[in-house]
Each structure stands twice: as C-alpha cells, then as structure tokens.
Amino acid sequence: MHFRVESTKGLRYKLHDKTLSGKPDMVFPKYKSLVFINGCFWHGYNCHLFKWPSSRPEFWKEKITKNKERDRKNYKILSSNWRILIIWEA
C-alpha cells in the first residue's frame, strides 16, 4: 500500500488514509493522532453556517443524518487507539 506522506516543521503525516474508518484528513502515526476537517453542511454541525436546503428536504435530512451517524460510529471505532481532533468550518 502506498501513502502520500507530507512533512511540515518536522511533523510527518499521511493524507486521507483509506485503511482507517472515515478516511481521516490527516494521520500522525507517531503521535497516534487523527485530524478530521469537517464542513458544517455535510456533517450537520448546528452553527450559523448550517442551513437545511429548501429543495428535496426529506432527501437532505436523511443524507445528513446518515453522515452524522457514520461520523459517530467512525469516531467511536477510532477513539480506542487514536487521539482525534475535529476541526469545523468557520
């Protein structure tokens, strides 16, 4: 398996590791740490940026609800072995 490994200020990380649940945006293996960068809309974050679409509301409620459930499941699976940082769109 081949990963793209980046290095910034001496910190080595992998991008979008498909072997981990939820494909974290950044993986810092040495520190057993993961970073997820989430958009408010797609992950259903209740902030001023999140608005339910007026077209096809049933579709979007189901889609966003499933995304939130998948996120919770992935975080629970990963949290036993990894430290997780979630960064929300601002």
Side-chain angles (χ1 to χ4, degrees):
M1 199 163 254
H2 179 63
F3 294 103
R4 181 175 159 194
V5 177
E6 302 288 333
S7 180
T8 303
K9 302 279 185 185
L11 294 175
R12 295 179 60 79
Y13 60 93
K14 298 175 188 176
L15 295 175
H16 311 289
D17 188 342
K18 294 178 177 113
T19 65
L20 294 171
S21 295
K23 292 192 310 185
D25 295 292
M26 298 174 79
V27 179
F28 296 88
K30 180 179 177 179
Y31 301 101
K32 295 294 285 178
S33 299
L34 308 172
V35 176
F36 287 90
I37 303 170
N38 292 348
C40 294
F41 176 74
W42 295 108
H43 297 272
Y45 188 60
N46 190 18
C47 73
H48 71 282
L49 297 173
F50 180 77
K51 304 278 187 274
W52 287 106
S54 56
S55 65
R56 301 177 57 203
E58 298 83 21
F59 167 80
W60 287 111
K61 285 197 190 259
E62 182 180 345
K63 170 83 173 142
I64 303 290
T65 300
K66 284 183 181 179
N67 287 352
K68 289 170 72 171
E69 289 170 7
R70 187 178 321 108
D71 287 344
R72 275 192 293 276
K73 178 181 155 201
N74 289 333
Y75 299 153
K76 184 176 181 180
I77 290 168
L78 294 167
S79 67
S80 61
N81 295 313
W82 295 88
R83 287 185 279 176
I84 300 172
L85 173 65
I86 302 168
I87 299 173
W88 289 97
E89 166 185 26

